[in-house]
Each structure stands twice: as C-alpha cells, then as structure tokens.
Amino acid sequence: HHKHSSSKDYRRLLDRLADHEAVHRVATGRVKPRMGAGRPVSPISKVKQVDSGLSITINVDGAIIDAYVVTDRPDEVIAFMREQEWTR
C-alpha cells in the first residue's frame, strides 16, 4: 500500500504557490470526497480566472479541494503551475 499524494503534498503545493512573487494569498475552500479510485491525472484539474485571481481545483487521493489564489498577475501564476507540471 503506497500513498501517492497525501494532504501533505497539497499543502506543499499551496505553500509553493503562496511563495510565488505574483501571489498575494492562497485560500482553501471546500474539501470534497472524491468518488472512484484511480489517481488524479494532474494535481490541479481546473484553473479559472476570476476577478481578483484564480480559482483552482486541487486533486489528491480521495479528495478534491477548491482553492483560491489572489494575484494580479494570473498569467504568470498559470505559467508557473504549468512549469511545475501541476496542470496539463
């Protein structure tokens, strides 16, 4: 039994995001249990630009976390997430 991505991984991911110079703040919203086995394709499945930043959906084993990234340079943040291979 190996754990691929635990909640520690997503915390680290959020910390890395929060450390990015273009990011003011990262807030997490709801954590929803994820139905069905199989590991997520990428850590971040959905990125949506909203008024003051980005709304993202983080996938971990067994859960989906809604998070919100406050940034005035969303393009840079999206590029960073791609470089990290967090999004496809």
Side-chain angles (χ1 to χ4, degrees):
H1 177 78
H2 77 287
K3 295 237 303 256
H4 178 71
S5 59
S6 66
S7 56
K8 278 199 292 298
D9 286 345
Y10 94 81
R11 287 265 169 231
R12 197 159 61 232
L13 185 152
L14 289 172
D15 285 346
R16 298 271 308 272
L17 263 181
D19 283 346
H20 192 282
E21 57 175 15
V23 175
H24 301 296
R25 209 162 61 78
V26 178
T28 49
R30 289 197 316 273
V31 176
K32 299 190 286 270
R34 204 166 66 91
M35 294 306 143
R39 67 190 199 76
V41 184
S42 47
I44 298 174
S45 63
K46 218 166 53 212
V47 178
K48 197 172 90 219
Q49 297 213 22
V50 288
D51 283 348
S52 51
L54 298 168
S55 166
I56 65 176
T57 302
I58 301 168
N59 296 296
V60 290
D61 283 350
I64 296 170
I65 298 125
D66 292 327
Y68 188 76
V69 182
V70 181
T71 176
D72 45 18
R73 304 203 301 261
D75 295 344
E76 281 182 42
V77 179
I78 291 170
F80 170 72
M81 293 192 292
R82 287 219 180 95
E83 278 162 30
Q84 302 297 317
E85 296 185 345
W86 292 341
T87 63
R88 273 179 311 184

